[in-house]
Amino acid sequence: MYLYGRTSDKDKAIVCRTVSVGSQIYFNESNLIRALQVAWHPYSDTHIGILSSDSVFRIFNLSSDLLQPEQEFYLQPVEPGRSRRAASICPADFSFGGDHLWDRFSVFVLFGDGSVYILCPIVPFGSVHKWESILEIYSDAHTFGLKSANQTAVSNSNLAISWLEATFPEFNNEAMDGENLLALKARPYALFDASLCLQGPLQKVHHRGEAHTAVRGVECEGHAVSFLYNVVSKDSILVTAWSGGQLQIDALADEIQPVWTIGSPPRLHVDSHDHILALAMICELTSSEIPVVKLDQPIDHTVWLSHPPPLLRLAIVDLALPRKTESGSNIMMFVDPLMPERIYSVHNGGVDSILLHFLPFTSQSSGKEETVRTPSVHPVLSTCQTDNSSPLCGFEALSDSFGYSWIMGVTSMQECFVLEMKTWNLLLPIHVDMEKKSPISEELKEEDTPDIISKELLSGPKVVLVPQASPNLRSVAADSIEGRSTLHQYFKLFHENYVEYAHKVFFELKHHGPQLKRIVDVQHARLREAQEKLLKVEEKQSGLEERINHAIQVHNLLEKRLERLRNLPGAHKKPLSRAEREFKSELDHFTGVELDALQNSIDTLKARLRRHTQSSKANVLNQPRQLSGKNYVQDIQMSQLKSSLAKLSLVNSENSKKVKLVESALKSRESSR
């Protein structure tokens, strides 16, 4: 859509022009290929990536051609004839990589069974990249690839270096000063004798002695619906959303390296000057088995050996979504533009905020020993409070120039809402060590609270020892010189101790009188508030007693209903055994995932067969003098396609009959109990 359109003369409205991208592939009436995900490339303003239901990833350059793709990658995650599940060959979502080493040239593809694959390197023609980033991966290939003792690592790094030098010719220009370059423009290039390898599926990293398990966790239910890539400092985070309402959060435990399949040349479209205009290639798996990666392996056993990076499981978050439909929940995920640790999940129930508290490599690089903490989930917006809920049709996370985050969404009732996330800026909580004493608390302890009356006055006057008197003191006259001196000495001691103490007490009481009055007034005010609260409690006591009595009556009624339900004939049925429960879960998974995937595969094959027949008819009309041998080959291909389509339809019908038979057997067994 071109937003800067012309202005209408009637109502002064702006009329925007819209165009269809790849209309011959996706919007043809006789074509059943569906676009599963569309995303702008992060390093180009004119390139978009489209993942379709025919397992093809295409990149379109909107500035040059809207009909034909610039790059096409045909994905083959499973070898032909070896697929046990249809969901393993049906793509679900994809995501471009971020600003981290080879991640910027990577595309992550998610399939229906939860498996994740990587395509690397993929770069749009004419995209702009930072010089420092390209130089970093160029130096990494020289340091860890060419200097390795393993010949496989040396050959893989040589291919990567040759690709970098051909895509960015500035590396071959020795006179070019790298300090004067800020960005590099990618040139169209492809290896003429190799295609990109489909790296995967990504496996979970294991500790020593840990058994090898599947990628999919037992807590996840249904099929994979969406995927999100997020880079936080030094961690590459992968989040997979399942239709059962769970989010599987993993981190890449190793770096991504480019991998090619030698001997599988791509198909190139060049001009008269041999400049590449478009390319297409088939991306297959490596023939070698993926080894089980463990954390204690040395770096020479993992770097530049064509092995996909393993996954480090961080957490599995259950959003506890209501199950209203058999297909499950449709979950979309977005990253906060200012706080990458926060992820927004958008579903039929509203919007939730997931905050990551533990990042393994970021914490390790900072030198902090942090414990593994599960992410926290905060509901931001709810749309399922009533039956007439308004699910969200669109969502976007924004940021302003003041450093605040905003979220904007559109509901199905054509309502737009904007929320400021200023009060939701929950930073990562500070880890408090209970064993270490806080210096602030120690300072507060050293500062004594001011006393109303000093401790010196509360302890009383000082005890003064009376000077020793002569034994004949009683016989001394008071008006004599000796008697006067003795009386003067006693009077002086009394004045120094008791009279001065009395003056100090008088001064303290006079000085602290207003403060004592304030304290007494505050205590009286608190006493009045407490009395008012007590009166309110007494007023509400009768209502509370009525509610308690009503709750007791409802409890008794529920107990009676429960007792009646226990007496029903079907309440004493035996529960399903473990094997029966496992079989039932497999049956539910087959009905909810595999049948849909098989139907999508059949639709895709029909679309390809229709396109093939149309192209063959067009070739026949344009070239009437074709050789009979070529027509014979085309007839053979068409017959093979028709036979494979008939086989798939037969398998689908047989599977449907088996599912119905098993369901009827289960129902009859439950009714017989």
Side-chain angles (χ1 to χ4, degrees):
M1 176 182 291
Y2 295 90
L3 298 179
Y4 301 99
R6 60 181 180 85
T7 305
S8 176
D9 297 333
K10 295 181 179 180
D11 50 359
K12 302 300 180 180
I14 298 177
V15 180
C16 300
R17 183 170 64 93
T18 60
V19 294
S20 300
V21 179
S23 57
Q24 297 179 357
I25 302 174
Y26 307 110
F27 302 100
N28 193 354
E29 294 180 356
S30 61
N31 201 345
L32 297 177
I33 298 178
R34 296 178 293 107
L36 302 177
Q37 179 62 279
V38 181
W40 288 98
H41 198 280
Y43 300 105
S44 176
D45 296 333
T46 59
H47 287 81
I48 62 171
I50 301 178
L51 180 66
S52 54
S53 59
D54 57 346
S55 298
V56 181
F57 175 71
R58 299 177 176 90
I59 294 181
F60 288 85
N61 187 359
L62 304 186
S63 61
S64 60
D65 194 351
L66 296 173
L67 299 179
Q68 297 299 324
E70 180 185 90
Q71 302 179 39
E72 284 184 297
F73 303 92
Y74 292 82
L75 310 178
Q76 289 189 0
V78 182
E79 295 182 6
R82 295 189 178 183
S83 176
R84 295 183 178 179
R85 292 185 176 181
S88 60
I89 60 175
C90 294
D93 197 0
F94 84 95
S95 178
F96 291 108
D99 190 10
H100 178 72
L101 295 179
W102 285 97
D103 292 13
R104 60 178 48 85
F105 299 138
S106 301
V107 176
F108 299 84
V109 183
L110 174 70
F111 284 80
D113 62 342
S115 57
V116 180
Y117 296 86
I118 299 176
L119 289 173
C120 179
I122 292 179
V123 56
F125 299 159
S127 58
V128 180
H129 304 268
K130 293 187 294 185
W131 162 260
E132 296 178 355
S133 303
I134 307 301
L135 182 61
E136 184 181 7
I137 60 177
Y138 187 76
S139 303
D140 178 79
H142 277 277
T143 304
F144 297 99
L146 294 181
K147 297 180 181 180
S148 176
N150 195 322
Q151 294 299 324
T152 304
V154 174
S155 61
N156 292 334
S157 59
N158 274 324
L159 287 175
I161 291 171
S162 63
W163 181 86
L164 283 173
E165 291 177 351
T167 306
F168 304 99
E170 288 80 4
F171 286 108
N172 294 326
N173 190 0
E174 298 180 355
M176 185 71 67
D177 190 4
E179 295 181 356
N180 297 329
L181 292 176
L182 297 178
L184 300 178
K185 188 176 182 180
R187 305 298 193 273
Y189 176 74
L191 298 176
F192 288 94
D193 60 342
S195 298
L196 291 185
C197 176
L198 191 61
Q199 306 181 44
L202 303 186
Q203 303 290 337
K204 180 182 175 182
V205 70
H206 300 280
H207 300 273
R208 179 173 293 180
E210 185 180 359
H212 175 70
T213 56
V215 177
R216 175 182 174 182
V218 295
E219 297 87 351
C220 300
E221 300 177 358
H223 59 279
V225 293
S226 62
F227 180 81
L228 175 68
Y229 171 89
N230 183 21
V231 57
V232 185
S233 186
K234 296 185 178 298
D235 289 275
S236 298
I237 308 299
L238 308 181
V239 185
T240 304
W242 295 81
S243 59
Q246 294 84 23
L247 301 182
Q248 178 181 310
I249 304 176
D250 301 307
L252 290 180
D254 203 350
E255 301 296 343
I256 300 175
Q257 277 90 30
V259 181
W260 286 270
T261 302
I262 306 299
S264 177
R267 184 177 179 179
L268 304 179
H269 175 54
V270 297
D271 57 5
S272 58
H273 301 284
D274 292 336
H275 294 161
I276 298 177
L277 300 179
L279 61 87
M281 61 181 66
I282 298 176
C283 302
E284 299 175 333
L285 296 176
T286 56
S287 58
S288 59
E289 295 183 358
I290 301 175
V292 179
V293 181
K294 298 183 180 180
L295 290 176
D296 53 358
Q297 287 183 351
I299 190 173
D300 296 337
H301 293 185
T302 57
V303 178
W304 290 101
L305 295 180
S306 305
H307 298 160
L311 296 177
L312 181 63
R313 180 63 49 82
L314 298 183
I316 292 181
V317 179
D318 191 355
L319 299 178
L321 301 180
R323 300 180 182 178
K324 296 182 179 180
T325 59
E326 296 180 357
S327 60
S329 302
N330 187 16
I331 303 174
M332 297 183 296
M333 295 175 291
F334 300 87
V335 180
D336 192 292
L338 296 180
M339 189 176 178
E341 296 90 350
R342 182 165 55 193
I343 300 171
Y344 298 105
S345 64
V346 183
H347 43 78
N348 293 333
V351 182
D352 293 332
S353 170
I354 296 94
L355 189 63
L356 303 179
H357 297 288
F358 175 74
L359 302 170
F361 298 102
T362 303
S363 303
Q364 184 180 3
S365 61
S366 61
K368 298 179 181 179
E369 296 181 358
E370 297 184 0
T371 57
V372 179
R373 297 186 57 195
T374 58
S376 59
V377 182
H378 306 278
V380 178
L381 181 67
S382 178
T383 59
C384 59
Q385 299 295 332
T386 58
D387 296 335
N388 298 325
S389 60
S390 178
L392 302 179
C393 298
F395 182 87
E396 187 64 33
L398 307 173
S399 62
D400 57 11
S401 58
F402 297 99
Y404 297 126
S405 299
W406 298 74
I407 61 173
M408 182 180 66
V410 179
T411 64
S412 60
M413 304 299 292
Q414 299 181 357
E415 296 173 346
C416 179
F417 66 90
V418 180
L419 294 179
E420 183 182 7
M421 302 301 292
K422 180 179 179 180
T423 58
W424 289 83
N425 286 334
L426 305 174
L427 298 177
L428 296 178
I430 302 174
H431 177 68
V432 180
D433 192 355
M434 301 303 295
E435 296 180 357
K436 297 181 180 180
K437 295 182 179 179
S438 176
I440 300 176
S441 61
E442 293 180 356
E443 293 178 1
L444 292 176
K445 289 181 180 179
E446 291 178 359
E447 296 179 0
D448 294 331
T449 56
D451 299 326
I452 298 176
I453 300 177
S454 61
K455 297 180 180 179
E456 183 181 358
L457 296 181
L458 293 176
S459 60
K462 296 181 180 180
V463 179
V464 182
L465 297 177
V466 181
Q468 187 177 4
S470 58
N472 54 354
L473 182 61
R474 293 182 178 276
S475 60
V476 177
D479 53 352
S480 63
I481 295 175
E482 187 178 359
R484 289 181 179 179
S485 64
T486 303
L487 290 174
H488 179 70
Q489 187 176 3
Y490 277 103
F491 179 76
K492 184 179 179 182
L493 291 175
F494 176 79
H495 185 273
E496 290 178 356
N497 293 278
Y498 296 98
V499 176
E500 291 182 0
Y501 175 76
H503 282 291
K504 289 180 181 180
V505 170
F506 176 75
F507 178 77
E508 290 280 345
L509 293 176
K510 184 178 180 181
H511 179 70
H512 292 287
Q515 185 177 358
L516 290 172
K517 186 176 182 301
R518 275 197 308 271
I519 293 174
V520 172
D521 294 340
V522 171
Q523 296 295 332
H524 281 295
R526 294 179 62 183
L527 180 60
R528 286 193 297 271
E529 291 179 0
Q531 290 177 350
E532 291 177 358
K533 290 181 180 179
L534 287 175
L535 292 175
K536 291 180 180 180
V537 169
E538 290 177 355
E539 292 176 357
K540 295 180 180 180
Q541 184 178 2
S542 59
L544 291 174
E545 290 179 354
E546 292 179 358
R547 293 177 63 183
I548 291 172
N549 294 331
H550 180 68
I552 292 173
Q553 293 177 1
V554 172
H555 179 70
N556 295 332
L557 291 175
L558 290 176
E559 284 186 347
K560 292 179 181 178
R561 290 185 63 187
L562 184 60
E563 190 66 27
R564 287 196 299 267
L565 290 174
R566 287 173 180 172
N567 295 329
L568 291 176
H572 300 285
K573 291 193 302 183
K574 294 181 179 180
L576 296 177
S577 63
R578 182 178 179 181
E580 291 174 343
R581 289 196 303 269
E582 292 179 356
F583 179 71
K584 190 175 183 301
S585 64
E586 291 181 1
L587 185 63
D588 294 338
H589 176 74
F590 187 83
T591 55
V593 179
E594 297 297 327
L595 289 180
D596 295 339
L598 282 173
Q599 187 64 36
N600 292 333
S601 301
I602 292 172
D603 295 340
T604 302
L605 283 176
K606 286 182 179 178
R608 288 185 178 180
L609 179 61
R610 191 176 292 108
R611 289 178 60 188
H612 183 74
T613 53
Q614 291 176 357
S615 62
S616 62
K617 290 179 181 179
N619 292 332
V620 170
L621 293 175
N622 295 330
Q623 299 178 357
R625 296 181 180 180
Q626 286 184 339
L627 297 176
S628 60
K630 293 184 179 180
N631 292 331
Y632 178 71
V633 171
Q634 290 179 359
D635 293 338
I636 292 175
Q637 292 178 353
M638 289 178 62
S639 63
Q640 289 178 354
L641 284 173
K642 289 181 179 179
S643 62
S644 62
L645 183 61
K647 288 180 181 180
L648 273 176
S649 301
L650 183 61
V651 169
N652 190 15
S653 61
E654 290 179 356
N655 289 331
S656 301
K657 292 179 181 178
K658 290 179 181 179
V659 168
K660 292 180 180 179
L661 288 174
V662 172
E663 287 180 351
S664 62
L666 286 176
K667 290 181 180 178
S668 61
R669 186 173 180 180
E670 290 178 357
S671 60
S672 63
R673 289 183 178 179

